[in-house]
Amino acid sequence: MSALLDSLAAGFQGDAARRAELDGLLEDGLPPARAEAWKYTSLRQLERRSFGVAKAVAVDPALLAAIPAPRLVFVNGCFDAALSDLSALPAGLDLRPLSQLLQGDDPRALAFLERRYLRVDEPFARLNAALAREGAVIRVNAGAVIEVPLHLVHVGAADAAAGDVAWHLRHFVELREGARLTIVEHELAAGDHAHLGNALLHAHVAHDAQLTQARIQTAAPRATLFARTDVVLAQSAGYDRTDLELGAALTRHELNVRLEGDGAQLRADGVLLADGRRHVDTRLGIEHAALDTTSNFVWRGLASQRGHAVFHGGILIHQGADGTDADLSNKNLLLANTAEIDTQPTLEIHADDVKAVHGATVGQLDPTALFYLRSRGLPEAQARTLLTGAFCREVVTRIDAAPVRALCETALDGALERVTT
């Protein structure tokens, strides 16, 4: 057994079903380097590390000054009622911490916890299923239109007494017929630390409902984050998503979306920023399983110094999914000869009447554009900053909600300033 799994298993608390989930993982171990899904993200160093069990830690409320209500805050994976603000939840929105529901007696409210993961190449989902006892459970009533964005805040906080710790969060989002909701996830750092965070989010979007989601990841420079998002879209449902991967030492996000109902629509965009020695990995698994579904993706990657960005864009169009329209674009900039970018768009089609386009590029800043800006009197550093910013901001400009777009612009500008100066 690896030191990582040994240390995480020591904090187990749960029933027999969860124990079986954990025992299966311990028997299989972490996926080897030859596993296709982990080909570009080695777990060799991580599996030698040990983590303690996270406990509640106090952080300065000023850290959340720019994040409005309603918000649900987790510090080192523990629900923080003092920092959360749920005093004025809009009508039609039900929001509760998972730990609160675990103390109740309604098994239907926790049905999503019954999902199990068996594949060897999904170890952190299996860990989450066995160990998570906290998270956000969000339900929106049929026809309810929630105008104000809901903020889920994950804070990694230094804990000198506990050392490096790990936490596991399990979120569930359910939008019933005709509902509308916007969620903004924030990954923040309170002090320097090297913790491990593992989050799993399920979302069910019913007929004619619309879920908009943004994830702004600015975790501590030595942190490790694993995130997985599983979404099912019913007939005429919509899902718009933006990811900004701007922090942490090692981060991997697996986004799996199944367009299960006729006319379902998906937009998923993101920016991967790998500077210093950061390793940033994003893996898309998109399934078109119904008629006349649409998916559109714009992803931008930047790698500088000794950073490593990894992108896998997998689109599967099932038999019978006629009328599918899928378009994926992944463009990447190498800002240093020592940086690395691996991109792997894949397209598998089992239907006849479809329109599908996917493409990926890896290059450097356009020397002609750079020369043009310098010929107009801009110093080289400033010219590079302008071109790099324009390359990434295309993703943010596609966000419709002005408050969400402003939050993303601020976070992206701060990260780009770090990289280009």
Side-chain angles (χ1 to χ4, degrees), residues 18 72 74 79 96-103 109-110 112-113 132-137 168-171:
R18 288 192 172 206
L72 198 66
F74 303 91
F79 172 60
R96 304 183 194 185
L98 173 59
S99 55
Q100 183 182 102
L101 290 176
L102 287 172
Q103 297 173 5
L110 299 170
F112 65 93
L113 294 179
R133 301 189 63 82
E134 190 55 280
V137 180
H168 312 270
L169 289 168
R170 190 85 172 261
H171 304 308

Side-chain angles (χ1 to χ4, degrees), residues 55-61 64 71-86 97 99 134-135 153-155 157 169:
K55 294 180 173 59
V57 178
V59 299
D60 186 351
L64 284 75
R71 69 186 185 214
L72 198 66
V73 181
F74 303 91
V75 178
N76 288 358
C78 302
F79 172 60
D80 192 313
L83 294 178
S84 300
D85 188 346
L86 306 178
S99 55
E134 190 55 280
V153 186
H154 306 140
V155 181
L169 289 168

Side-chain angles (χ1 to χ4, degrees), residues 346-370:
T346 66
L347 183 58
E348 186 177 345
I349 302 174
H350 299 281
D352 295 326
D353 181 18
V354 302
K355 178 183 177 182
V357 179
H358 72 298
T361 61
V362 179
Q364 297 176 324
L365 288 174
D366 184 353
T368 302
L370 190 61

Side-chain angles (χ1 to χ4, degrees), residues 8-171:
L8 297 180
F12 173 78
Q13 297 179 24
D15 55 21
R18 288 192 172 206
R19 185 69 234 188
E21 184 91 31
L22 182 59
D23 289 342
L25 172 61
L26 297 179
E27 181 178 349
D28 292 336
L30 294 175
R34 65 180 180 273
E36 182 62 29
W38 294 88
K39 181 178 180 180
Y40 299 108
T41 300
S42 173
L43 298 174
R44 190 168 301 170
Q45 292 186 357
L46 181 64
E47 71 178 353
R48 294 196 289 264
R49 294 183 59 193
S50 297
F51 295 89
V53 178
K55 294 180 173 59
V57 178
V59 299
D60 186 351
L63 181 67
L64 284 75
I67 302 177
R71 69 186 185 214
L72 198 66
V73 181
F74 303 91
V75 178
N76 288 358
C78 302
F79 172 60
D80 192 313
L83 294 178
S84 300
D85 188 346
L86 306 178
S87 57
L89 285 181
L93 172 63
D94 182 71
L95 171 60
R96 304 183 194 185
L98 173 59
S99 55
Q100 183 182 102
L101 290 176
L102 287 172
Q103 297 173 5
D105 56 1
D106 183 3
R108 295 172 301 176
L110 299 170
F112 65 93
L113 294 179
E114 296 176 1
R115 179 172 178 181
R116 294 292 175 255
Y117 302 87
L118 301 175
R119 297 205 321 259
V120 176
D121 63 359
E122 48 187 7
F124 294 96
R126 297 172 74 182
L127 275 170
N128 194 288
L131 301 176
R133 301 189 63 82
E134 190 55 280
V137 180
I138 304 164
R139 291 184 167 92
V140 184
N141 293 342
V145 178
I146 309 303
E147 301 285 358
V148 179
L150 170 64
H151 297 267
L152 293 183
V153 186
H154 306 140
V155 181
D159 188 344
D164 296 343
V165 299
W167 60 85
H168 312 270
L169 289 168
R170 190 85 172 261
H171 304 308

